[in-house]
Amino acid sequence: MTKKLTVILAALALAASVSGQCSSPVSRPEIRSLSPEDRARFFQAANKLRENGELARLSKMHVDNADTIHGHPVFLAFHRVFSNDFALALNKVDPGVPVPYWDWSLDATDPASSAIFTDDFCGGNGAGPQNCVQSGPFANWQMTVENQHCLARKFNQGDKIAPFWPPEALLSMQQTCTQYGALSSGIENGCHGAVHLGISGDMSTMFAPNDPFFFLHHLMIDKLWYDWQLMGPESRFQMYDNVNYQDPPVSPEDVIPGYPNMRVKDALDPRNGLCYVYVDSGSGAATKRLMEEINKQSASAPANGTPAPPSASPGLAPTPGQPSPAGAGAPATPPSIANAASLAGNGIPSADSAAQLNALTNNVSKLSGNNGAVATASAALHGQQMNFLQNAILNGLSGNGAMDMASALINRHHRFLRRHVAAVLRREENEGEVKGLSLDQILTGVAGGLLGKDGLVGHLVNGLGHVVQVLPQGLAKTLQAVGSIAETAVSDVFDILKLPKVDISKIPEQERQIPYVAEIPDWWYAHNNLNATYAAQLRQQVHDMIDGYNRIPGYVSPAVIHYAAKKYGTN
């Protein structure tokens, strides 16, 4: 009877996938929300996949398609179908078995101390000369892909695991990205690798699916995509593009590697064809609650928690903590000029940042005399004008077939760019100011910078540059203006996460801080067709964000609250 039921369920699942219809999507919970009995069912079903060869089949498929599924736009789509293949295989051996994900962002502060690495869950670090897993439900597993060996784990900091991306960074990325490719590349170059390399052993290889941790992790990756889709359901469940990748144009009609009967379009909306949804762990809701509190404390932060661009003003906009200029024509001190220039020149050009840089230019033009203040102000302005022009050109190069400098200059901020190109040229003529660039130098630099052997086009083709921002620029600066976080907000986070409350003030200061995320070695990026330069930029932006949050009095990350409740809380 059981075998017959399994066949019927498999047929129904296949029919739902082909037809695109799903009347009752299956819910996928966070693994710690499962009852001990359901957790045991999941582990037992996973063990049956090892015994019947299904786990080896999945591992081999991942190895065989490694070059096409990493570093390309299909990354998220493939792993959605691949993880669902695992779920279907589980249901063949135990119909109705729950298929959970692991929200590792809640363990970001100290991953190795998580309950997930205890014998009640997935077991811990490997041991012995081969780093074999010797505890938990997967103890002493023998694997056959790519060769005969024990299931291995080797934490990347001895008995510890380097910190993962915290919930704040994940939410910021989801809120900033407006295109599929930007999100996919941000995940793949950012948070994805930290978990693989943190656990390591089999998890740091292309046969990582040997370890069920692979699927717990990639189901979380899939949830990040799903949650992002829910932020714009009218368009994002149909969205698929190659933004931030060096691939030729892509289409939802593309076949998914390893699945000749599946097209990308079949994977875009899991609520229908693949027939599942995710149950939130609480980390997203908890982070949004804290962002609401931050928005109340900072007039410069909009409702979605990401920073607003510098607003237009008739004069220099003061940086938080800096006094405003004394008057329209009063000389400004070099720090004020430099700070205002930094505000004006950051990021992809917008109407607000253009107006801000115009205001800065007007202010600098009123300075007189040949002195250090003038030279410093001129140098700051010159640098920001050049930065703004470079960003404008980069912005004009985004999208398919848009590598056209004329389009960047004519269609994007035309009059503004003309003005500031002229301003850069005039610097060479003005005595007492920092020498600028000649027209010939600019034209030569542009030609070399775009088309030369080490030029921008070559960098883009070889994956050494990126176009679309996936984390909010200037967030750390915005956070500097935030007042203290109300205790009620922190209390609400405990409630949202369903954790025992802890007096945070009694926890050592070092443990209340969000730690920096792990630095991933270059070999990982080469092995996965990824972009080490881009990844380093992402990591620096995450660190800047972490600094901003750690400076806010009373702010406690959901990851820190989760860690503190488990370490210091009482049931």
Side-chain angles (χ1 to χ4, degrees):
M1 177 62 75
T2 301
K3 184 176 180 180
K4 184 176 181 180
L5 178 60
T6 301
V7 172
I8 293 173
L9 287 171
L12 289 174
L14 180 59
S17 177
V18 172
S19 67
Q21 301 301 314
C22 180
S23 59
S24 183
V26 175
S27 294
R28 291 182 174 173
E30 210 277 338
I31 188 168
R32 282 165 287 205
S33 70
L34 294 178
S35 67
E37 294 76 20
D38 279 343
R39 205 164 60 232
R41 281 185 68 191
F42 169 70
F43 294 146
Q44 288 164 7
N47 188 49
K48 289 179 182 177
L49 297 191
R50 179 185 65 87
E51 293 173 344
N52 69 12
E54 279 292 279
L55 201 58
R57 174 184 68 82
L58 291 167
S59 289
K60 187 174 188 306
M61 178 185 292
H62 195 263
V63 170
D64 291 346
N65 292 280
D67 287 341
T68 57
I69 60 177
H70 299 106
H72 300 285
V74 79
F75 170 74
L76 288 180
F78 169 84
H79 285 91
R80 172 169 283 180
V81 173
F82 187 67
S83 297
N84 195 63
D85 194 350
F86 172 71
L88 292 175
L90 289 172
N91 272 271
K92 287 179 181 178
V93 298
D94 182 359
V97 63
V99 181
Y101 67 96
W102 169 37
D103 186 350
W104 38 257
S105 74
L106 287 174
D107 299 313
T109 295
D110 184 10
S113 70
S114 170
I116 200 79
F117 291 105
T118 64
D119 289 356
D120 289 338
F121 285 84
C122 297
N125 200 5
Q130 304 301 317
N131 302 298
C132 299
V133 175
Q134 298 180 8
S135 64
F138 315 127
N140 304 311
W141 272 21
Q142 291 299 310
M143 317 310 298
T144 59
V145 180
E146 286 191 296
N147 49 53
Q148 188 76 32
H149 68 283
C150 65
L151 177 64
R153 294 181 192 146
K154 186 180 181 181
F155 292 176
N156 64 348
Q157 290 188 345
D159 291 332
K160 307 288 284 183
I161 295 175
F164 300 152
W165 277 38
E168 293 86 348
L170 299 179
L171 181 62
S172 293
M173 177 169 60
Q174 289 170 321
Q175 290 179 332
T176 302
C177 293
T178 59
Q179 295 161 296
Y180 165 87
L183 180 78
S184 179
S185 65
I187 289 174
E188 195 175 4
N189 284 281
C191 60
H192 164 252
V195 178
H196 276 284
L197 288 169
I199 298 172
S200 202
D202 279 32
M203 276 286 282
S204 61
T205 70
M206 285 303 172
F207 45 90
N210 283 344
D211 194 334
F213 257 125
F214 173 93
F215 295 101
L216 294 173
H217 169 39
H218 269 277
L219 287 163
M220 172 63 177
I221 294 295
D222 186 53
K223 182 180 181 294
L224 292 177
W225 180 21
Y226 174 74
D227 288 345
W228 176 82
Q229 291 176 308
L230 288 177
M231 293 178 179
E234 298 82 7
S235 60
R236 292 183 179 178
F237 282 108
Q238 296 82 44
M239 191 178 292
Y240 182 63
D241 55 64
N242 66 346
V243 170
N244 261 24
Y245 288 97
Q246 312 311 319
D247 291 61
V250 295
S251 167
E253 296 291 337
D254 292 346
V255 173
I256 293 180
Y259 296 92
N261 297 321
M262 289 286 292
R263 299 185 182 276
V264 169
K265 66 180 182 181
D266 300 322
L268 294 179
D269 190 347
R271 303 169 301 178
N272 292 319
L274 301 180
C275 205
Y276 66 84
V277 295
Y278 285 99
V279 180
D280 190 55
S281 65
S283 65
T287 305
K288 288 175 184 176
R289 172 67 186 93
L290 291 169
M291 295 308 101
E292 290 173 1
E293 183 68 17
I294 283 176
N295 291 339
K296 293 177 184 177
Q297 299 290 335
S298 174
S300 60
N304 67 359
T306 55
S311 59
S313 64
L316 287 173
T319 301
Q322 292 282 351
S324 300
T333 61
S336 297
I337 291 288
N339 287 333
S342 178
L343 282 173
N346 274 336
I348 292 175
S350 68
D352 284 337
S353 57
Q356 182 73 14
L357 192 49
N358 273 330
L360 175 63
T361 303
N362 290 335
N363 188 283
V364 171
S365 68
K366 295 174 183 177
L367 298 178
S368 60
N370 185 11
N371 54 48
V374 175
T376 301
S378 179
L381 175 60
H382 179 254
Q384 290 307 318
Q385 285 173 328
M386 291 301 295
N387 183 51
F388 193 98
L389 294 172
Q390 179 186 13
N391 283 332
I393 292 171
L394 283 172
N395 198 28
L397 295 178
S398 63
N400 294 331
M403 291 188 177
D404 185 346
M405 181 183 172
S407 172
L409 292 176
I410 294 172
N411 295 329
R412 297 178 185 272
H413 314 292
H414 175 220
R415 283 173 292 182
F416 177 79
L417 288 171
R418 282 175 52 190
R419 174 184 179 185
H420 287 286
V421 168
V424 170
L425 292 174
R426 281 198 305 272
R427 292 195 187 286
E428 189 170 329
E429 302 171 3
N430 295 331
E431 291 292 327
E433 291 194 4
V434 176
K435 187 175 180 179
L437 301 174
S438 69
L439 178 61
D440 286 344
Q441 286 174 314
I442 287 180
L443 293 177
T444 300
V446 166
L450 290 176
L451 304 174
K453 182 180 68 172
D454 297 319
L456 176 62
V457 172
H459 284 188
L460 290 172
V461 170
N462 290 298
L464 299 177
H466 75 284
V467 177
V468 177
Q469 195 75 18
V470 300
L471 287 174
Q473 295 192 9
L475 178 57
K477 190 173 292 293
T478 296
L479 294 174
Q480 291 178 8
V482 177
S484 62
I485 299 298
E487 291 183 8
T488 54
V490 176
S491 178
D492 288 345
V493 171
F494 279 101
D495 292 338
I496 292 170
L497 296 177
K498 300 178 181 178
L499 294 171
K501 292 185 179 179
V502 174
D503 185 352
I504 295 294
S505 66
K506 296 182 180 179
I507 297 174
E509 176 65 25
Q510 185 176 359
E511 293 186 25
R512 295 202 302 269
Q513 298 287 299
I514 308 172
Y516 282 166
V517 301
E519 182 173 354
I520 295 176
D522 286 348
W523 69 260
W524 171 263
Y525 299 107
H527 195 53
N528 288 272
N529 304 319
L530 298 177
N531 185 331
T533 302
Y534 179 16
Q537 293 170 344
L538 282 178
R539 187 170 61 253
Q540 184 57 54
Q541 291 172 42
V542 173
H543 289 178
D544 290 343
M545 290 171 55
I546 288 172
D547 285 340
Y549 285 114
N550 283 339
R551 280 194 293 264
I552 299 174
Y555 184 86
V556 188
S557 169
V560 173
I561 286 175
H562 189 267
Y563 165 80
K566 296 301 183 183
K567 184 173 182 178
Y568 299 104
T570 56
N571 295 319

